[in-house]
Amino acid sequence: KYLLGYFSLDQSGGSWFLPSLMLTLIRPTMFPVLRNEDLKEMLESNKESLKLEAMKRVVGLIAKGKNASELFPAVVKNVASKNIELKKLVYVYLVRYAEEQQDLALLSISTFQRALKDPNQFIRASALRVLSSIRVPIIVPIMMLAIKEAAADLSPYVRKTSAHAIQKLFSLDPDQKEQLIEVIEKLLKDKSTLVAGSVVMAFEEVCPDRIDLIHKNYRKLCNLLVDVEEWGQVVIISMLTRYARTQFTSPWKEGAVFDENNEKTFYDSDSEEKKGQIEAKPYIMDPDHRLLLRNTKPLLQSRNTAVVMSVAQLYWHLAPKHEVSIVTKSLVRLLRSHREVQYIVLQNIATMSIQRKGMFEPFMKSFYVRSTDATHIKTLKLEILTNLANEANISTILREFQTYVKSQDKAFAAATIQAIGRCATNISEVTDTCLNGLVLLLSNRDETVVAESVVVIKKLLQTQPTQHSEIIKHMAKLFDNITVPMARASILWLMGEYCERVPKIAPDVLRKMAKTFTIEEDIVKLQTVNLAAKLYLTNSKQTKLLTQYILNLGKYDQNYDIRDRTRFIRQLIVPSEKNGALNKYARRILLAPKPAPVLESAFKDRDRYQLGTLSHSLNIKATGYQELSDWPAVAPDQSVRNVEVIEPVRNLPSSHTSSYLLMYKCFVLWDKFFSKIRTLLWLRFSLSDTIDPVFSL
């Protein structure tokens, strides 16, 4: 086995790559494991090679999750080393432990300040990173000064690090917000793609409501988006989604006619419009709105699943309805990723498929369940298949469900039965077919399948109770063989609710329950008390004594809910002098017609959260969640995004200028040389021969 001596470390969101030390593999047979005392001796030695080897081992310990804080005093002494590789490793260590060893880290602040002026950009960035990791309020002014200087650094890598430091300083001292906003405003104007994602992240952390800072940089961010690093793309897309919802009008208006160019044809321009004719007002998309959609579309091909998901949610919340479908193939492609990615993507598809079934219907086979899928993945695919069900494909989906019911995964089989019930409720053509199939499942050997079938049948029978008396009788016959409490309670509820349709069977069921009342679960006892009360009102001759016996058992039950229910029922149905007025309404209270339950998707209300967010995944508003605002009725002034373009003086680049200047000097010298030659030649031919010696000389 090999131990990784150095690792790729993500520093505050930015990657720091050291090519010479990235993958240093150390054989344990060649280098025995050293104790902390040995590492301290190596770090305090005079040889740079030993110090470098010790730091590799220390960083290796950190990579394996071991505590190396005891070495802090020995490591921090080498912060002023002239060896670049050693200094980089020391900074990696200090970033990890500076917050824990604040007192010792403060002793080296002067060294960090000097390192901010180092010629090497990585050293400058590392020094700022360590400085911002020291969580001591007393050095806030020093940190602020360092951030301002780094924001004006010539290296984009250092400017990127300054954007990361802004968030750390803001969490340490929120009172510095105004000064940090000034730095953010300056960095937002940066044209480097390396800085864009980091500064937008700082913007979202410090001042997400200051959209006025985005106006002048909106088009630049849209154009730079393709070249920004992947995680920066996610942050920028999320921010631009919120920005667009406040600056553009809704493209979803009913009856809107899309007219991108807003120009009439040549012949129509001369024709007179008919008077009194009401025409649909064309929707004209803002050019900046279209710019955002056009520049994010290529990112659907990104290898990063988070980027694809961000673009998908942007199109879902911002694009016209007829353009949203372009994200479908990209989302389906993500289903080939790891199960963690599948889980999040399927959650979002489940929400989208409720409102727009047509988007994913052509890819229905992609949501068929595989035997290797985890239970939570199977359940989400089942949810999506149920959402996609319609009159055209219901037969195919039901055949698929028949296979799922036989699954060894009991939770998944139960979820499949619930899905069949939803299909039966939503599509009336297959209600009887689904109901008959569920009745057949009542003879299944698996108690979980039988119990879930009973619960779903109970809900379906509430929609058409008059037509399914035989099913109720069949369930009563199976009552003795069913042991799951929820299923037994559901059958008892059906017996009581439709006791007039099974007048001979319901009293017999009550007789059986009177024998086993004391050993039943609480939920079954409650439904037994309800059944006794309803039979007392409809068939008191047969059930009066049974009802009194059950009420006496419930009166002394250990569960206080059952005792309270029993006392309430007794006072309600048994007439007496004290409660005579209430007894008149007993039948209206207990036997009132009840609305049929609506079987709905668990993802029906999740569209109130932005897709791809933690709140959407948990279906709870998470800390830090920022809601998308409603579309404005009237679009704000779009001129705020205009940037004044100053025509630059057409000076040649410095390299070209020096070349042209050298050429110009050469031409001048040649001109002078040839003019002298011409003069001498003229003298030669025009004067006497006495000048020949001079000419020759």
Side-chain angles (χ1 to χ4, degrees):
K1 294 183 180 180
Y2 292 91
L3 298 178
L4 188 62
Y6 188 73
F7 59 99
S8 173
L9 186 63
D10 188 16
Q11 303 287 348
S12 304
S15 299
W16 182 10
F17 298 102
L18 303 179
S20 61
L21 301 174
M22 182 58 67
L23 293 173
T24 304
L25 298 176
I26 305 173
R27 290 182 182 272
T29 55
M30 297 171 58
F31 301 99
V33 179
L34 298 179
R35 296 174 301 173
N36 287 348
E37 291 76 10
D38 299 330
L39 292 174
K40 287 181 181 178
E41 291 181 5
M42 294 175 67
L43 290 170
E44 293 174 354
S45 68
N46 296 327
K47 295 182 179 181
E48 293 290 335
S49 59
L50 288 177
K51 292 181 179 180
L52 186 60
E53 185 61 38
M55 281 308 305
K56 288 181 183 180
R57 294 175 180 272
V58 171
V59 175
L61 292 174
I62 298 174
K64 292 191 293 183
K66 295 186 178 180
N67 185 13
S69 58
E70 296 180 3
L71 301 171
F72 194 93
V75 172
V76 79
K77 293 178 182 178
N78 297 289
V79 73
S81 174
K82 295 181 180 180
N83 189 314
I84 299 298
E85 293 184 351
L86 177 60
K87 183 177 288 189
K88 289 178 180 179
L89 290 175
V90 170
Y91 279 130
V92 170
Y93 179 90
L94 292 178
V95 169
R96 171 64 180 82
Y97 289 106
E99 190 169 350
E100 298 179 12
Q101 304 282 346
Q102 295 179 357
D103 295 337
L104 292 174
L106 284 173
L107 299 176
S108 303
I109 280 188
S110 58
T111 306
F112 301 146
Q113 289 179 293
R114 287 196 301 271
L116 291 172
K117 307 293 184 182
D118 195 275
N120 191 313
Q121 60 175 346
F122 293 108
I123 299 300
R124 296 199 301 274
S126 301
L128 179 60
R129 192 176 292 118
V130 175
L131 192 62
S132 60
S133 299
I134 303 175
R135 313 282 295 171
V136 180
I138 196 172
I139 66 167
V140 166
I142 299 175
M143 291 173 60
M144 177 60 71
L145 183 61
I147 290 174
K148 289 182 177 180
E149 292 180 355
D153 197 279
L154 295 177
S155 170
Y157 183 76
V158 178
R159 300 199 297 272
K160 176 189 179 75
T161 307
S162 70
H164 295 157
I166 288 174
Q167 304 169 55
K168 295 182 180 180
L169 180 55
F170 179 72
S171 63
L172 179 63
D173 186 7
D175 294 337
Q176 304 293 326
K177 181 176 180 178
E178 294 303 323
Q179 297 186 53
L180 292 175
I181 290 177
E182 295 178 2
V183 181
I184 291 174
E185 185 176 6
K186 180 179 180 180
L187 289 174
L188 280 171
K189 299 176 182 178
D190 200 305
K191 297 181 180 180
S192 173
T193 55
L194 195 63
V195 181
S198 302
V199 67
V200 170
M201 188 66 217
F203 169 83
E204 291 283 80
E205 185 73 22
V206 178
C207 53
D209 54 336
R210 287 289 304 273
I211 60 172
D212 57 294
L213 301 179
I214 306 298
H215 290 323
K216 299 293 185 183
N217 303 290
Y218 171 82
R219 293 169 186 166
K220 182 197 70 177
L221 289 173
C222 289
N223 292 323
L224 291 179
L225 192 56
V226 178
D227 299 320
V228 176
E229 60 178 346
E230 293 170 343
W231 294 111
Q233 290 173 345
V234 175
V235 176
I236 295 175
I237 291 172
S238 177
M239 184 273 294
L240 292 179
T241 303
R242 291 193 303 105
Y243 177 86
R245 285 293 287 260
T246 63
Q247 300 299 312
F248 308 128
T249 55
S250 173
W252 308 334
K253 295 179 180 178
E254 296 182 2
V257 179
F258 279 80
D259 184 7
E260 296 287 343
N261 299 321
N262 193 27
E263 295 179 357
K264 295 183 177 181
T265 59
F266 177 76
Y267 292 103
D268 290 344
S269 62
D270 295 332
S271 62
E272 295 182 358
E273 296 182 357
K274 295 181 180 180
K275 295 181 179 181
Q277 183 180 3
I278 301 176
E279 295 183 354
K281 187 177 180 180
Y283 169 78
I284 305 170
M285 180 175 284
D286 191 297
D288 290 328
H289 191 172
R290 175 57 64 190
L291 175 68
L292 177 59
L293 295 176
R294 184 172 61 249
N295 286 6
T296 53
K297 183 178 178 180
L299 297 180
L300 289 172
Q301 310 301 323
S302 174
R303 63 180 180 178
N304 190 307
T305 54
V307 175
V308 178
M309 193 64 246
S310 297
V311 178
Q313 66 86 21
L314 181 140
Y315 265 79
W316 178 259
H317 293 296
L318 299 182
K321 292 183 178 180
H322 66 275
E323 296 184 19
V324 178
S325 57
I326 67 172
V327 306
T328 307
K329 288 185 179 180
S330 299
L331 290 176
V332 172
R333 173 174 61 87
L334 298 183
L335 298 181
R336 304 188 187 100
S337 304
H338 303 290
R339 63 176 57 179
E340 295 82 8
V341 175
Q342 290 183 42
Y343 180 70
I344 299 299
V345 174
L346 287 171
Q347 278 190 327
N348 289 274
I349 292 177
T351 302
M352 299 165 77
S353 61
I354 294 175
Q355 296 185 16
R356 300 177 188 174
K357 297 183 179 181
M359 283 180 59
F360 298 96
E361 190 174 347
F363 303 93
M364 190 173 65
K365 291 185 179 180
S366 299
F367 304 106
Y368 284 175
V369 174
R370 301 177 181 178
S371 58
T372 56
D373 289 336
T375 302
H376 59 280
I377 301 297
K378 293 178 181 177
T379 307
L380 285 172
K381 287 186 175 181
L382 195 64
E383 180 76 25
I384 296 170
L385 287 174
T386 309
N387 293 339
L388 297 179
N390 54 36
E391 293 81 357
N393 59 24
I394 185 61
S395 58
T396 305
I397 291 178
L398 287 179
R399 282 198 300 271
E400 193 74 14
F401 285 176
Q402 288 176 0
T403 307
Y404 299 163
V405 170
K406 302 174 185 177
S407 173
Q408 297 298 319
D409 189 342
K410 305 307 177 186
F412 174 57
T416 303
I417 295 172
Q418 293 179 6
I420 294 174
R422 278 182 55 198
C423 292
T425 304
N426 298 334
I427 305 172
S428 57
E429 288 82 354
V430 296
T431 301
D432 294 337
T433 305
C434 294
L435 199 52
N436 294 332
L438 292 173
V439 171
L440 293 176
L441 291 176
L442 294 177
S443 57
N444 195 292
R445 295 180 180 179
D446 189 357
E447 292 183 357
T448 307
V449 174
V450 175
E452 201 65 39
S453 300
V454 170
V455 174
V456 175
I457 289 173
K458 170 212 163 189
K459 295 178 180 179
L460 292 178
L461 288 180
Q462 286 184 257
T463 59
Q464 298 175 336
T466 59
Q467 303 176 11
H468 302 291
S469 299
E470 294 298 325
I471 295 177
I472 299 176
K473 295 178 182 179
H474 182 67
M475 294 173 67
K477 293 178 182 178
L478 297 173
F479 182 77
D480 293 337
N481 299 326
I482 297 175
T483 58
V484 179
M486 190 64 192
R488 293 174 67 85
S490 298
I491 294 177
L492 290 174
W493 185 91
L494 281 173
M495 294 292 110
E497 188 67 18
Y498 308 112
C499 57
E500 295 178 348
R501 302 186 184 281
V502 284
K504 297 181 180 180
I505 297 177
D508 190 57
V509 173
L510 183 64
R511 178 185 61 81
K512 294 178 181 179
M513 289 305 304
K515 293 181 180 180
T516 60
F517 184 86
T518 56
I519 61 174
E520 297 287 350
E521 294 290 334
D522 293 342
I523 187 173
V524 180
K525 291 179 180 179
L526 290 173
Q527 291 302 327
T528 303
V529 172
N530 287 346
L531 174 61
K534 292 175 181 178
L535 287 175
Y536 183 87
L537 295 175
T538 58
N539 189 5
S540 60
K541 291 182 180 180
Q542 284 186 311
T543 59
K544 183 176 181 180
L545 294 177
L546 273 175
T547 302
Q548 291 179 354
Y549 176 71
I550 290 174
L551 291 178
N552 288 333
L553 291 176
K555 182 179 179 180
Y556 300 104
D557 195 87
Q558 293 181 351
N559 188 291
Y560 60 85
D561 286 333
I562 297 173
R563 296 198 300 269
D564 291 346
R565 176 70 63 86
T566 303
R567 294 190 183 100
F568 169 72
I569 293 295
R570 185 187 295 275
Q571 296 297 320
L572 181 63
I573 64 174
V574 180
S576 64
E577 296 179 357
K578 296 181 180 180
N579 63 346
L582 186 62
N583 181 255
K584 298 178 182 179
Y585 303 100
R587 182 178 290 270
R588 295 176 60 182
I589 292 173
L590 293 176
L591 299 177
K594 301 172 181 62
V598 181
L599 302 178
E600 296 179 341
S601 171
F603 289 82
K604 180 183 178 183
D605 299 328
R606 292 205 186 188
D607 57 350
R608 66 181 184 273
Y609 297 116
Q610 185 178 353
L611 293 184
T613 59
L614 179 63
S615 298
H616 176 270
S617 180
L618 301 177
N619 200 21
I620 296 174
K621 187 175 182 180
T623 304
Y625 173 74
Q626 297 176 4
E627 295 183 358
L628 285 177
S629 60
D630 295 329
W631 295 99
V634 180
D637 184 14
Q638 63 179 358
S639 63
V640 294
R641 291 183 290 276
N642 294 337
V643 180
E644 296 181 4
V645 180
I646 302 174
E647 288 294 334
V649 179
R650 293 188 176 276
N651 291 331
L652 294 170
S654 57
S655 59
H656 291 185
T657 304
S658 58
S659 300
Y660 288 134
L661 185 59
L662 181 60
M663 292 173 63
Y664 175 74
K665 291 181 177 179
C666 291
F667 284 132
V668 171
L669 291 174
W670 277 107
D671 184 66
K672 292 181 178 179
F673 175 75
F674 281 115
S675 63
K676 291 182 178 180
I677 292 294
R678 285 196 300 270
T679 304
L680 292 174
L681 289 174
W682 179 79
L683 290 173
R684 170 68 179 84
F685 293 105
S686 61
L687 299 180
S688 60
D689 295 337
T690 57
I691 307 181
D692 284 346
V694 179
F695 178 75
S696 301
L697 180 61

